[in-house]
Amino acid sequence: MLNWSEKAGNIGPVPAGEPASRSAGALPQNGIAGIPSGLVIIVMFCAVILSFGVVLFKVLVAEQQAAARELKSVSRVFENHKQVLLTDMERYAASNAAYQNIETAKSMDWIKHRFGADMAQNIAYDRMALVGRNLEVIFAANAPGAGVPELSTARIREILGGTVEKIRNTYQHGLVTTGGGEVRFAGRLSDVAGVDIVEIDGRPNLAAAFAVVPDPGGIKMVHGPPNILVTTFEIDAIHLGSLLASLSLDNLIFARQVPEDMISVPLAGKSGQVLGHLAWYPMSRASAIIASSLPILVISLGMILTITLMTLRQNANAKARLEQREQEARYAADHDFLTGFASRGYFHSAAARWLDARDAAGNPAAIIYLDLDSLKQVNDVHGHSAGDQLILEQSRRISRALGPDGLVGRIGGDEFVILTDRWGTGNNALQDIRDLLQALSRPVEFEGKRIDASCSAGIARFPDHGSTLKELIRAADIALQRCKMEHKNAFRLYDERMDDMLREQREVRIELDAALRNHEFELFYQPIVRAGTGETAYFEALIRWRHPERGLVPPDRFLPIALEAGMMPDIGAWVLERALKDACGWQKAGVSVNVCTSQIRKPGFAELVETLLRRYDFSPERLVLEITESLMLEEGQSTRETLEKLRDLKVVLAIDDFGTGYSSMSYLHKFRFDTMKIDRSFVSRIGVDEEADTLVRSLLGLAREMGMQTIGEGVETEQQKAFLVEAGCGFMQGYLFDRPLPLKELAA
């Protein structure tokens, strides 16, 4: 198929051949080929006029089509603008803090600051009001310098009565009572919000309302109508300016009556009454210019004919270039600029058609949800250029493995989805997928450095695990999450039992809220002994959950869920206080407590440690805080200040699991740890893998050079113990010495 530029290349006059030149010389002087010259001129004139009329007609049609596109674009952008207003309001209306400070424990100071000051800086409203459960105005404010009356209950009912009433009804229908008697909102946020075009003081306004609901929830609620946040925005130059920012228009105005030669979009409220129009001059108005050329066409026929031909050629070339640019723009919109794979939106539409074709033919297929495990760490350690190189190389490997079959989409920064009928069934398909994962796990070269790479994948089969793209992606995503929970750099095939696990995780998340209140957590302690004497120097505090129905729940079953839910600062604070309370009764041994990154980042952590040390009269030298290696990638000022405060308290800081992540020796120097814990994954291979032996010796040597104590984790054999003692490890921990025990068994 020819592209537009190729077609354009065929447009143009064909040079006359030699025989035509000779015949022209024989023509009579007053005619061409026996036809009178006057008739020829008339025919040419008519042809030009006809051509001019055709061009004018096409321009008019094109203008109508362009105007239709402009109308659609302005309507779409205005509707999007309304949704953006609701999205901005959601940040303030849908939150646990808003619900508590308005409904549960009303704080007018908080309300005035949140909605009168904070929201005014981020949302350029003209008026706002907070409407109570009985439709009374709790608080109202105007934009600075607005010079208009504040919203009253009567005015709100006048402009938004129907919307407010609908929100109140929808909100109350969405309230449910759990088995424990707790009230929860089970509806959708979009159903308790609304925006309308209204007239206030003779001017059109956007009026938006949003119910105050808890988000993410999990707090005490009351049954009854909601409090509602109301804002109004006058459709003035400021709003029109924000619309112009996303449109190629520079003359958008609001008008009661549409001026001549303008096109418009009517602004109507929900009642259907038109309050005005968004009007503008259409971008394409070439017909007026063409019509003004008619006298010149009649006077200068020959010139016009020449100019017309040249214009036609130029238009054809311009159209070809425009078509090419449009094709390039469509391709850019439909494909990821870095990898060339389908973008998220295009992948969904293309994949749906692809599945329909396989479904009609009765062919099976597979969807593979890939996640690059290490992209964030690569970006943090080596820079985003290295991360881009990793993505690019991995995309090439995927393309080589997949070949011309199937469809690949990049639907996230480190996520890819593969849809193919090549790996639909059979053991060979699983082996091919293993080969793909193995290829994606090979290191990537970047500026002379080897960057480690790994990939996790979840797989679902069509039609076994779903008949639609949405169902298949959900199944593959569940399998991917299961894979990442169990072991990264692997793949899992979707199983219906994974849904049961997902439901169980949700139940655990809900039950964790009550676990702290009901004192269901307890601590086990495992000794950390001196390598030379075997004397217990510390006990590491390890949390367990004694569930009233599930029994003793190990930490790997609930800590990842707590971490994702943002509960670790509270749980960690409980562990720290309980460990110090238990340890204050020991004569010599200290206690070692694990601290997660979210605890360190939370303001006031160092002050909490200082307070607890004083409360239990515990020597700071006997407290070890084990900090995971991932914290060293958090180079914020607050993190460094917190660690400095802890060092000033003379608390022992230990880096846990060193060598398993992406940190470097420069981080050790920067954060100045006292102790290095050698991860059990290295200790377990002592005597089995010479590379592991060398690595452990190197880590111990590095710690000595930096003046750090060392602890070997996971010691289970005498051979491992002897190796660590000979290599100079100061402390050891593992089942060889004792398993984790509850406090009462330690006392025994």
Side-chain angles (χ1 to χ4, degrees), residues 517-624:
R517 297 193 303 269
N518 299 335
H519 307 290
E520 296 174 6
F521 293 127
E522 61 181 84
L523 294 183
F524 279 38
Y525 294 93
Q526 186 177 32
I528 300 173
V529 304
R530 299 185 188 277
T533 65
E535 176 188 6
T536 299
Y538 301 95
F539 286 97
E540 181 176 359
L542 302 169
I543 191 171
R544 299 292 186 268
W545 182 10
R546 197 168 294 280
H547 193 280
E549 297 177 0
R550 305 175 192 270
L552 194 63
V553 182
D556 59 353
R557 291 280 301 279
F558 67 88
L559 285 185
I561 300 173
L563 181 63
E564 183 178 352
M567 299 179 62
M568 284 309 298
D570 294 334
I571 294 177
W574 178 88
V575 170
L576 179 61
E577 180 169 7
R578 182 58 182 269
L580 290 175
K581 182 178 179 181
D582 291 345
C584 68
W586 302 338
Q587 293 182 355
K588 294 183 179 180
V591 66
S592 183
V593 179
N594 290 279
V595 178
C596 68
T597 303
S598 58
Q599 287 179 260
I600 297 291
R601 289 203 304 260
K602 184 176 180 179
F605 176 73
E607 289 75 11
L608 172 65
V609 174
E610 182 179 10
T611 300
L612 293 177
L613 287 172
R614 291 179 178 174
R615 178 181 302 170
Y616 296 104
D617 193 20
F618 197 83
S619 173
E621 291 82 358
R622 295 174 57 200
L623 173 62
V624 179

Side-chain angles (χ1 to χ4, degrees), residues 30-85:
N30 59 351
I32 300 176
I35 302 175
S37 300
L39 182 59
V40 172
I41 293 173
I42 292 174
V43 170
M44 293 179 63
F45 182 83
C46 292
V48 171
I49 295 299
L50 179 61
S51 299
F52 189 89
V54 170
V55 172
L56 181 58
F57 173 78
K58 288 186 175 182
V59 169
L60 290 172
V61 172
E63 285 181 356
Q64 293 175 355
Q65 294 173 345
R69 288 194 296 269
E70 291 177 30
L71 290 169
K72 185 181 296 184
S73 296
V74 173
S75 298
R76 183 180 66 253
V77 169
F78 188 71
E79 289 301 317
N80 289 343
H81 183 68
K82 290 160 64 176
Q83 293 305 313
V84 168
L85 295 180

Side-chain angles (χ1 to χ4, degrees), residues 444-451:
V444 174
E445 296 290 335
F446 176 73
E447 295 182 352
K449 295 179 289 189
R450 286 166 58 89
I451 300 175

Side-chain angles (χ1 to χ4, degrees), residues 606-722:
E607 289 75 11
L608 172 65
V609 174
E610 182 179 10
T611 300
L612 293 177
L613 287 172
R614 291 179 178 174
R615 178 181 302 170
Y616 296 104
D617 193 20
F618 197 83
S619 173
E621 291 82 358
R622 295 174 57 200
L623 173 62
V624 179
L625 297 182
E626 297 186 17
I627 302 171
T628 56
E629 184 183 4
S630 61
L631 176 70
M632 294 197 292
L633 298 178
E634 304 287 344
E635 291 194 71
Q637 181 65 26
S638 61
T639 299
R640 289 195 293 271
E641 290 177 355
T642 299
L643 292 179
E644 286 298 328
K645 291 178 182 178
L646 292 173
R647 291 191 63 83
D648 292 340
L649 293 175
K650 301 189 182 305
V651 170
V652 179
L653 300 181
I655 177 172
D656 196 12
D657 303 332
F658 184 74
T660 61
Y662 283 81
S663 58
S664 65
M665 288 186 291
S666 64
Y667 288 107
L668 287 180
H669 177 74
K670 180 183 299 183
F671 289 100
R672 297 166 54 207
F673 287 92
D674 304 297
T675 301
M676 176 191 297
K677 295 195 74 172
I678 310 299
D679 188 66
R680 66 181 64 248
S681 62
F682 302 137
V683 175
S684 64
R685 305 204 314 265
I686 289 176
V688 179
D689 185 347
E690 291 184 2
E691 184 178 346
D693 294 351
T694 302
L695 180 57
V696 171
R697 290 184 185 275
S698 299
L699 292 175
L700 292 172
L702 172 62
R704 281 194 299 272
E705 290 296 326
M706 301 192 71
M708 300 169 63
Q709 294 287 347
T710 51
I711 302 174
E713 288 186 299
V715 180
E716 298 182 356
T717 68
E718 290 291 344
Q719 181 185 10
Q720 295 168 355
K721 173 184 174 183

Side-chain angles (χ1 to χ4, degrees), residues 19 26 76 189 304 383 408 414 442 448 507 521 546 615 625:
R76 183 180 66 253
L189 295 179
I304 291 177
V408 184
D414 56 358
R442 293 198 301 269
E507 293 174 0
F521 293 127
R546 197 168 294 280
R615 178 181 302 170
L625 297 182

